[in-house]
Amino acid sequence: MTEVIALIDRRLAAQEQRDSRFLVGDSISAADVYWATLSMSVLPPEPEIMPLTRQNKGMLKYFAKNSQIPVISDALTKRIKDHQQFVLTTYCETPAVLGGDML
């Protein structure tokens, strides 16, 4: 997983040199959305993006524990975090309430 995170980070760095905030080209692509949503498994989103519910609290707790694994934590750069936040808040419906009882 850390190799994938590092690969994504390098790609975002290269794209920044081109003044692009996206993984591919100059506009949103499926790669951005897929990565932003997949990255939630190691970088849990803020409650404004995915509110805590009785049904998802275990999942979000598990995701938070993943983000604390030292090698994963070290790989999660500010660029990775910023990209996730940017894509989720700009191109995805938030807050993402997938059902359940709000806490």
Side-chain angles (χ1 to χ4, degrees), residues 64-84:
K65 285 186 183 269
N66 288 339
S67 71
Q68 296 168 2
I69 296 170
V71 294
I72 291 176
S73 177
D74 291 346
L76 294 172
T77 64
K78 182 176 183 328
R79 186 176 12 257
I80 292 287
K81 295 172 186 175
D82 289 349
H83 180 262
Q84 182 200 61

Side-chain angles (χ1 to χ4, degrees), residues 45-57 59-60 93-103:
E46 299 295 323
E48 298 80 31
I49 294 174
M50 182 175 282
L52 189 64
T53 66
R54 187 171 54 84
Q55 289 78 6
N56 75 5
K57 69 180 178 181
M59 175 186 70
L60 292 176
E93 184 175 334
T94 58
V97 180
L98 307 176
D101 306 315
M102 301 295 285
L103 293 179

Side-chain angles (χ1 to χ4, degrees), residues 4-75:
V4 171
I5 295 168
L7 175 73
I8 297 291
D9 188 58
R10 286 191 303 272
R11 179 65 186 175
L12 289 171
Q15 285 290 92
E16 278 181 7
Q17 296 299 311
R18 298 181 60 250
D19 292 325
S20 176
R21 297 181 75 176
F22 305 100
L23 285 169
V24 180
D26 296 318
S27 61
I28 191 74
S29 69
D32 294 293
V33 175
Y34 289 151
W35 170 248
T37 55
L38 174 67
S39 70
M40 292 190 310
S41 66
V42 293
L43 182 60
E46 299 295 323
E48 298 80 31
I49 294 174
M50 182 175 282
L52 189 64
T53 66
R54 187 171 54 84
Q55 289 78 6
N56 75 5
K57 69 180 178 181
M59 175 186 70
L60 292 176
K61 183 178 178 181
Y62 177 76
F63 291 170
K65 285 186 183 269
N66 288 339
S67 71
Q68 296 168 2
I69 296 170
V71 294
I72 291 176
S73 177
D74 291 346

